CSV table of all heavy atoms in Angstrom, one decimal:
chain,number,residue,atom,x,y,z
A,239,GLY,N,34.3,19.1,152.1
A,239,GLY,CA,34.3,20.5,152.1
A,239,GLY,C,35.6,21.1,151.7
A,239,GLY,O,35.7,22.1,151.0
A,240,ALA,N,36.7,20.5,152.2
A,240,ALA,CA,38.1,21.0,151.9
A,240,ALA,C,38.4,20.9,150.5
A,240,ALA,O,38.9,21.8,149.8
A,240,ALA,CB,39.1,20.3,152.8
A,241,VAL,N,38.1,19.8,149.9
A,241,VAL,CA,38.3,19.6,148.4
A,241,VAL,C,37.4,20.5,147.6
A,241,VAL,O,37.8,21.0,146.5
A,241,VAL,CB,38.1,18.1,148.1
A,241,VAL,CG1,38.4,17.9,146.6
A,241,VAL,CG2,39.0,17.2,148.9
A,242,SER,N,36.2,20.7,148.0
A,242,SER,CA,35.2,21.5,147.3
A,242,SER,C,35.7,23.0,147.2
A,242,SER,O,35.2,23.7,146.4
A,242,SER,CB,33.9,21.5,148.0
A,242,SER,OG,33.3,20.1,147.9
A,243,LEU,N,36.6,23.4,148.1
A,243,LEU,CA,37.2,24.7,147.9
A,243,LEU,C,37.8,25.0,146.6
A,243,LEU,O,37.9,26.1,146.1
A,243,LEU,CB,38.2,25.0,149.1
A,243,LEU,CG,37.7,25.3,150.4
A,243,LEU,CD1,38.8,25.4,151.4
A,243,LEU,CD2,36.9,26.6,150.4
A,244,ALA,N,38.3,23.9,145.9
A,244,ALA,CA,38.8,24.0,144.6
A,244,ALA,C,37.8,24.6,143.6
A,244,ALA,O,38.1,25.5,142.8
A,244,ALA,CB,39.3,22.7,144.1
A,245,PHE,N,36.6,24.1,143.8
A,245,PHE,CA,35.5,24.7,142.9
A,245,PHE,C,35.2,26.2,143.2
A,245,PHE,O,35.1,27.0,142.3
A,245,PHE,CB,34.2,23.9,143.1
A,245,PHE,CG,33.0,24.4,142.3
A,245,PHE,CD1,32.9,24.1,141.0
A,245,PHE,CD2,32.1,25.2,142.9
A,245,PHE,CE1,31.8,24.6,140.2
A,245,PHE,CE2,31.0,25.7,142.1
A,245,PHE,CZ,30.9,25.4,140.8
A,246,THR,N,35.2,26.5,144.5
A,246,THR,CA,35.0,27.9,144.9
A,246,THR,C,36.1,28.8,144.4
A,246,THR,O,35.8,29.9,143.9
A,246,THR,CB,34.9,28.0,146.5
A,246,THR,OG1,33.9,27.1,147.0
A,246,THR,CG2,34.7,29.4,146.9
A,247,MET,N,37.4,28.3,144.5
A,247,MET,CA,38.5,29.1,144.0
A,247,MET,C,38.4,29.3,142.5
A,247,MET,O,38.8,30.3,141.9
A,247,MET,CB,39.8,28.5,144.4
A,247,MET,CG,40.1,28.5,145.9
A,247,MET,SD,40.1,30.2,146.6
A,247,MET,CE,41.6,30.8,145.8
A,248,MET,N,38.0,28.2,141.8
A,248,MET,CA,37.9,28.3,140.4
A,248,MET,C,36.9,29.3,139.9
A,248,MET,O,37.1,30.1,139.0
A,248,MET,CB,37.5,26.9,139.8
A,248,MET,CG,37.4,26.8,138.3
A,248,MET,SD,35.9,27.3,137.6
A,248,MET,CE,34.7,26.2,138.4
A,249,MET,N,35.7,29.3,140.6
A,249,MET,CA,34.7,30.3,140.3
A,249,MET,C,35.1,31.7,140.6
A,249,MET,O,34.8,32.6,139.8
A,249,MET,CB,33.4,29.9,141.1
A,249,MET,CG,32.7,28.7,140.6
A,249,MET,SD,32.2,28.7,138.9
A,249,MET,CE,30.8,29.9,139.0
A,250,PHE,N,35.8,31.9,141.7
A,250,PHE,CA,36.3,33.2,142.0
A,250,PHE,C,37.3,33.7,140.9
A,250,PHE,O,37.3,34.8,140.5
A,250,PHE,CB,37.0,33.2,143.4
A,250,PHE,CG,37.5,34.6,143.8
A,250,PHE,CD1,36.6,35.6,144.1
A,250,PHE,CD2,38.9,34.8,143.9
A,250,PHE,CE1,37.1,36.8,144.5
A,250,PHE,CE2,39.4,36.0,144.3
A,250,PHE,CZ,38.5,37.1,144.6
A,251,GLY,N,38.2,32.8,140.5
A,251,GLY,CA,39.2,33.1,139.5
A,251,GLY,C,38.5,33.4,138.2
A,251,GLY,O,38.8,34.3,137.4
A,252,PHE,N,37.4,32.6,137.9
A,252,PHE,CA,36.6,32.8,136.7
A,252,PHE,C,36.0,34.2,136.7
A,252,PHE,O,36.0,34.9,135.7
A,252,PHE,CB,35.5,31.7,136.6
A,252,PHE,CG,34.6,31.8,135.5
A,252,PHE,CD1,35.0,31.6,134.2
A,252,PHE,CD2,33.3,32.2,135.7
A,252,PHE,CE1,34.1,31.7,133.1
A,252,PHE,CE2,32.4,32.3,134.7
A,252,PHE,CZ,32.7,32.0,133.4
A,253,GLY,N,35.4,34.6,137.8
A,253,GLY,CA,34.7,35.9,137.9
A,253,GLY,C,35.7,37.1,137.8
A,253,GLY,O,35.5,38.0,137.0
A,254,LEU,N,36.7,37.0,138.6
A,254,LEU,CA,37.7,38.1,138.6
A,254,LEU,C,38.5,38.2,137.3
A,254,LEU,O,38.7,39.3,136.8
A,254,LEU,CB,38.7,37.8,139.8
A,254,LEU,CG,39.9,38.9,139.9
A,254,LEU,CD1,39.3,40.2,140.3
A,254,LEU,CD2,40.8,38.4,141.0
A,255,GLY,N,38.8,37.0,136.7
A,255,GLY,CA,39.4,37.0,135.4
A,255,GLY,C,38.6,37.6,134.3
A,255,GLY,O,39.2,38.2,133.4
A,256,GLY,N,37.3,37.4,134.4
A,256,GLY,CA,36.4,38.0,133.4
A,256,GLY,C,36.5,39.5,133.4
A,256,GLY,O,36.5,40.2,132.3
A,257,VAL,N,36.7,40.2,134.6
A,257,VAL,CA,36.9,41.6,134.6
A,257,VAL,C,38.2,42.0,134.1
A,257,VAL,O,38.4,43.0,133.3
A,257,VAL,CB,36.8,42.1,136.1
A,257,VAL,CG1,37.0,43.6,136.2
A,257,VAL,CG2,35.4,41.8,136.7
A,258,ILE,N,39.3,41.3,134.4
A,258,ILE,CA,40.6,41.6,134.0
A,258,ILE,C,40.8,41.4,132.5
A,258,ILE,O,41.2,42.3,131.7
A,258,ILE,CB,41.7,40.7,134.7
A,258,ILE,CG1,41.6,41.0,136.2
A,258,ILE,CG2,43.1,41.0,134.2
A,258,ILE,CD1,42.5,40.1,137.1
A,259,THR,N,40.4,40.2,132.0
A,259,THR,CA,40.5,40.0,130.5
A,259,THR,C,39.5,40.8,129.7
A,259,THR,O,39.8,41.1,128.6
A,259,THR,CB,40.3,38.5,130.2
A,259,THR,OG1,39.0,38.0,130.8
A,259,THR,CG2,41.4,37.6,130.8
A,260,GLY,N,38.4,41.2,130.4
A,260,GLY,CA,37.5,42.1,129.7
A,260,GLY,C,38.1,43.5,129.5
A,260,GLY,O,38.0,44.1,128.4
A,261,ARG,N,38.9,43.9,130.5
A,261,ARG,CA,39.6,45.2,130.4
A,261,ARG,C,40.7,45.2,129.3
A,261,ARG,O,40.8,46.1,128.5
A,261,ARG,CB,40.2,45.6,131.7
A,261,ARG,CG,40.9,46.9,131.8
A,261,ARG,CD,39.9,48.1,131.6
A,261,ARG,NE,40.5,49.3,131.8
A,261,ARG,CZ,39.9,50.5,131.5
A,261,ARG,NH1,38.7,50.5,130.9
A,261,ARG,NH2,40.5,51.6,131.7
A,262,ILE,N,41.4,44.0,129.3
A,262,ILE,CA,42.4,43.8,128.2
A,262,ILE,C,41.8,43.8,126.9
A,262,ILE,O,42.3,44.4,125.9
A,262,ILE,CB,43.2,42.5,128.5
A,262,ILE,CG1,44.0,42.6,129.8
A,262,ILE,CG2,44.1,42.2,127.3
A,262,ILE,CD1,44.6,41.3,130.2
A,263,THR,N,40.6,43.2,126.7
A,263,THR,CA,39.9,43.1,125.5
A,263,THR,C,39.5,44.5,125.0
A,263,THR,O,39.6,44.8,123.8
A,263,THR,CB,38.7,42.2,125.6
A,263,THR,OG1,39.0,40.9,126.0
A,263,THR,CG2,37.9,42.1,124.3
A,264,ASP,N,39.0,45.3,125.9
A,264,ASP,CA,38.6,46.7,125.5
A,264,ASP,C,39.8,47.5,125.1
A,264,ASP,O,39.7,48.4,124.3
A,264,ASP,CB,37.9,47.4,126.7
A,264,ASP,CG,36.5,46.9,126.9
A,264,ASP,OD1,35.9,46.4,125.9
A,264,ASP,OD2,36.0,47.0,128.0
A,265,ARG,N,41.0,47.2,125.7
A,265,ARG,CA,42.2,48.0,125.4
A,265,ARG,C,42.8,47.6,124.1
A,265,ARG,O,43.2,48.4,123.3
A,265,ARG,CB,43.1,48.0,126.6
A,265,ARG,CG,42.7,48.8,127.8
A,265,ARG,CD,42.6,50.3,127.5
A,265,ARG,NE,42.3,51.0,128.7
A,265,ARG,CZ,43.2,51.5,129.6
A,265,ARG,NH1,44.5,51.3,129.4
A,265,ARG,NH2,42.8,52.2,130.6
């Protein structure tokens, strides 16, 4: 479970990053 947190953090970064880089793309 502790190591699997890496996958959870990756998915969170993937989702949040999509919003941020999406905003950059629009600008």
Side-chain angles (χ1 to χ4, degrees):
V241 180
S242 297
L243 281 175
F245 178 81
T246 302
M247 292 300 291
M248 184 277 299
M249 290 299 289
F250 182 68
F252 175 73
L254 181 61
V257 180
I258 297 171
T259 54
R261 185 64 173 169
I262 294 171
T263 300
D264 284 334
R265 288 294 185 90

